[in-house]
Amino acid sequence: MIIDVHSHLWAPPELNAMGLNLVGSDGHYSGLEPQISDDRYLEYLQTLFKALDMVGTDFQMVSPRPFTMLHSRGARLVDVWTRWTNNAIAQQVRLAPDRFMGMAGLPQVPGQPIERVFPEMDRCIKELGFNSILINPDPSEGMGHVPPMGDSYWYPLYEKMCEYDVPALIHAASCCNGRETYANHFITEHSIALLSMIKAGVMQRYPDLKIIVAHGGGSVPYQIGRWRAERGSFPDLGKGSIKGKMNEGSGTFDDALRVFHFDTCLHAPESVEFLIKVVSPDCVCFGTERIGSGSQINPDTGRSYDDMKPDIEAMGFLNEADRFKIFEGNARKLFNGLPG
């Protein structure tokens, strides 16, 4: 089975039309929940089914589209829109449980305690049957003043994740900072999140924590020489093993990196190959974001940029066991309740 751990909601445009009314009213146009019939939703899903079948993807983890989540726009708006989005994901999963599983969006608001997301997280896991969450490392969307993910601000969320035994995909959302584009922003934020968690020894503190860093870990694996050279900047790396994931007593930066997981959503085989060689096949999960930013046709191959399966299959340094880990095995270690 080919399991894609990084995909986003594919809902009919009626949902976004309701969202526009919500934004225009600053969250007050919220009395009417979006009502999209199953027939209409299933009709819209046909495009996605065809896109997945074309590249051989069997199953996807479905999360909100991060740049639409409005985290910097105020609590009322965030709460309503997050609930609507998670409900739409639940509908998509219910209509095709053999193809999709839900990953909950969280109603994060900058300047407010992380505990505010717990009621919606509880609802998604207990009532909607989701098995994972999406974390935005910067809900201020580029405006600053959000603690990095190694800060104790985030610890209650990590404890909740361990309690539920659910993994998280770290994926930044929109960007309101004119110095960056959206794509620049999430690469930077994923790098900050990963480095801050390593420096703070988060995975040593929470050995049951399961983290996937989207888009190949930001810049970190590709700047590995810099972080190896700055070994002294990461004093917590030598604190021992994390349930056998880390070589006891070695404490290298590579060891610390390999207790996280990373997706293959890089749209370039050269980048994916480098990622796998740096962090090992044990730490890489197939992820494409299809249908998404990489779905345009690559003129050099005639395939879409997010059609990464043939490239991974062609990597001669991987054996069949390695490919199984990347395409399926690692996802099954992280996510509960996946189909057989």
Side-chain angles (χ1 to χ4, degrees):
M1 176 177 282
I2 306 299
I3 300 173
D4 187 339
V5 304
H6 182 169
S7 76
H8 302 308
L9 176 64
W10 185 254
E14 291 91 324
L15 177 66
N16 285 332
M18 291 286 287
L20 183 60
N21 287 329
L22 192 66
V23 172
S25 67
D26 197 25
H28 293 277
Y29 185 83
S30 58
L32 296 176
E33 296 273 342
Q35 298 295 324
I36 302 172
S37 72
D38 286 353
D39 287 345
R40 168 62 177 141
Y41 208 130
L42 199 53
E43 175 190 24
Y44 195 74
L45 281 173
Q46 299 309 307
T47 299
L48 180 56
F49 292 150
K50 291 177 182 176
L52 298 182
D53 292 344
M54 185 181 299
V55 297
T57 297
D58 298 303
F59 194 83
Q60 284 190 318
M61 301 304 309
V62 183
S63 63
R65 290 199 176 271
F67 75 90
T68 71
M69 291 312 293
L70 309 172
H71 286 150
S72 64
R73 297 294 297 272
R76 180 181 176 87
L77 186 64
V78 168
D79 288 343
V80 175
W81 181 241
T82 301
R83 185 178 73 250
W84 287 5
T85 300
N86 285 330
N87 287 345
I89 292 172
Q91 185 175 7
Q92 179 174 332
V93 171
R94 178 172 56 78
L95 291 172
D98 59 329
R99 305 299 298 264
F100 307 117
M101 176 67 82
M103 179 181 287
L106 303 179
Q108 296 175 245
V109 176
Q112 294 197 14
I114 193 61
E115 289 90 342
R116 81 173 321 275
V117 310
F118 289 174
E120 180 65 8
M121 183 176 172
D122 291 338
R123 185 182 79 93
C124 288
I125 294 171
K126 293 180 178 179
E127 298 179 23
L128 302 183
F130 292 8
N131 68 354
S132 50
I133 63 173
L134 186 76
I135 299 177
N136 179 2
D138 177 29
S140 79
E141 299 184 327
M143 304 312 290
H145 312 297
V146 174
M149 290 190 69
D151 190 88
S152 60
Y153 167 86
W154 298 92
Y155 290 179
L157 179 58
Y158 301 151
E159 292 166 7
K160 190 84 164 176
M161 288 172 58
C162 293
E163 175 188 337
Y164 274 125
D165 189 25
V166 295
L169 180 70
I170 294 177
H171 196 313
S174 190
C175 181
C176 301
N177 181 345
R179 296 184 68 245
E180 299 180 291
T181 66
Y182 165 58
N184 294 152
H185 182 67
F186 70 66
I187 292 169
T188 299
E189 287 301 324
H190 298 176
S191 305
I192 293 171
L194 180 55
L195 291 170
S196 69
M197 293 179 79
I198 291 174
K199 188 168 186 178
V202 167
M203 302 299 271
Q204 287 90 337
R205 179 183 290 269
Y206 300 105
D208 294 323
L209 194 62
K210 302 174 182 177
I211 297 289
I212 306 168
V213 189
H215 295 287
S219 66
V220 176
Y222 319 97
Q223 295 291 332
I224 188 67
R226 174 78 185 200
W227 309 120
R228 287 169 177 162
E230 291 199 5
R231 169 66 183 85
S233 299
F234 298 91
D236 291 317
L237 298 191
K239 283 191 173 179
S241 66
I242 303 172
K243 286 203 168 181
K245 301 176 190 175
M246 192 173 184
N247 294 330
E248 186 76 41
S250 60
T252 68
F253 186 84
D254 293 57
D255 292 329
L257 199 60
R258 289 171 181 168
V259 299
F260 296 86
H261 285 79
F262 306 85
D263 70 15
T264 61
C265 192
L266 292 162
H267 307 328
E270 303 93 334
S271 300
V272 174
E273 179 174 338
F274 188 79
L275 172 68
I276 296 170
K277 288 180 176 178
V278 168
V279 304
S280 87
D282 293 331
C283 303
V284 177
C285 296
F286 187 66
T288 68
E289 206 177 55
R290 186 172 180 87
I291 298 172
S293 59
S295 297
Q296 302 92 335
I297 297 299
N298 181 343
D300 294 331
T301 65
R303 308 192 324 265
S304 59
Y305 286 96
D306 57 17
D307 183 7
M308 296 302 303
K309 179 172 173 282
D311 295 308
I312 295 171
E313 289 173 332
M315 293 178 183
F317 69 97
L318 297 175
N319 58 38
E320 286 306 308
D322 294 332
R323 295 187 185 92
F324 172 78
K325 291 175 184 177
I326 294 167
F327 287 133
E328 179 178 359
N330 292 336
R332 290 196 179 278
K333 291 180 180 179
L334 292 169
F335 296 91
N336 296 318
L338 298 179

